Structure formats: structure tokens, C-alpha cells
Amino acid sequence: ANVGRRMFDDVDDLISCVLEACVHTILFVRAIYPAEIFERKKLFNVPIRTSRHPGLSDYISKAVSGARHWMNQVRSFGLLERFVVVIYDASHCAIERFVFDVAIPLGMNTQQQDEEVDRDFKSFFLKLNVVDAMVADLPKGCTFAVLLYTKDDAQAVSDDWT
């Protein structure tokens, strides 16, 4: 099944889907988990991999749900600034960071903008899928975490997604 921009009800759905796909793709491409636990799907006509492991998929989904909460806090601004996937070595030292600056674009509802969004995300995912060829192999025993960076005036919320 292929998913493109027109499958989303709103911008938050689109951004949430993209962030979730980014985490899965990073974990696959950087071999944090065995390739066997990932299945092939398509997003914006680009092959991606998503985890089939229920615990891992649930963690990623809840992390993105937490991010979506911050995106929704102030409709015109949003309180989420960055969504970060951090890869740690076996001694829990951060060795890689994938930082996504989150900006909620306004007015993404014309056909021309839909096509532009599809093209941009397609290009992005193609690049993300080959990041492994551009960086050194990771050591054995790496783990990861998803971090959310909010604006200074954000109020703390429940961390039940961790």
C-alpha cells in the first residue's frame, strides 16, 4: 500500500506520519535492530521499512503521539520545536542525532502544494534511505531514544508515551 499526501485529513496527520516513518527508517538504515523485524512499505512512492515488532512500533507511535500533542498546543504556532532521534552506544553516550525541525506550514491545501509536498517528502525519504552509505557503521549494542524539544513557554505534560 502506498500512502501519499492526499491520504491525510490535516497537516498534523501528515507530519505525524512522516515523523513516524523517519524513526522506523532510521532504525532500519542504521541497523539498530535486525533487518528481519522490518517490513517494506511505500510512503510518497518511496520504499520505506517499518517495524513489525509490537513493542517497538508502540513506542514509536506513542512518541509521535506525544509530539503531536505539542504540535496541537497552540494551533497557530505549536509548541514543538524539534523532534530528535538519538542513537546511543553501549555506554549510553550519544553518537548520532537526527534532528527534525518541526514547523507547521499553513495553507497546504491546494493541488500545487500537495504535489510540492509529495515531491519534497519523496526526495527526503530517498536521501534518508541512503544515509548509511554516508556515515560510519555503528558499534554493536546501540540503542535509541526519541526526544522532543519544546518552546520555553511549554508546560509539562504526562510522559505516559515512554
Side-chain angles (χ1 to χ4, degrees):
N2 183 45
V3 178
R5 167 68 177 107
R6 283 159 286 293
M7 296 296 294
F8 301 97
D9 292 332
D10 61 26
V11 175
D12 291 341
D13 286 345
L14 171 66
I15 292 174
S16 296
C17 178
V18 168
L19 289 174
E20 192 162 337
C22 286
V23 177
H24 285 279
T25 300
I26 290 166
L27 298 179
F28 172 76
V29 169
R30 297 304 288 138
I32 302 298
Y33 293 96
E36 299 80 42
I37 73 161
F38 294 89
E39 64 184 345
R40 185 180 169 151
K41 293 186 178 180
K42 278 194 172 187
L43 182 64
F44 304 104
N45 282 321
V46 176
I48 63 168
R49 300 292 176 126
T50 59
S51 166
R52 290 182 295 184
H53 187 280
L56 178 58
S57 296
D58 188 53
Y59 173 83
I60 295 168
S61 179
K62 286 181 178 180
V64 171
S65 178
R68 187 179 175 122
H69 168 81
W70 290 108
M71 286 188 284
N72 288 332
Q73 283 298 302
V74 179
R75 202 57 231 139
S76 59
F77 301 107
L79 294 175
L80 184 66
E81 289 187 337
R82 290 183 306 280
F83 182 95
V84 182
V85 178
V86 182
I87 298 177
Y88 298 100
D89 64 14
S91 61
H92 204 67
C93 290
I95 56 175
E96 287 185 0
R97 283 183 179 83
F98 293 84
V99 179
F100 302 93
D101 288 326
V102 179
I104 307 292
L106 300 175
M108 290 176 53
N109 52 5
T110 68
Q111 180 66 27
Q112 180 182 9
Q113 288 167 325
D114 282 350
E115 291 170 2
E116 185 177 326
V117 167
D118 281 352
R119 186 184 64 245
D120 290 347
F121 282 129
K122 181 177 182 177
S123 173
F124 171 75
F125 276 106
L126 287 171
K127 290 175 186 171
L128 189 58
N129 274 309
V130 297
V131 73
D132 197 47
M134 296 181 260
V135 293
D137 289 344
L138 293 172
K140 298 279 186 222
C142 288
T143 59
F144 83 102
V146 173
L147 306 177
L148 306 177
Y149 289 85
T150 60
K151 295 181 180 176
D152 290 339
D153 56 352
Q155 303 267 331
V157 295
S158 167
D159 61 348
D160 64 352
W161 60 273
T162 57

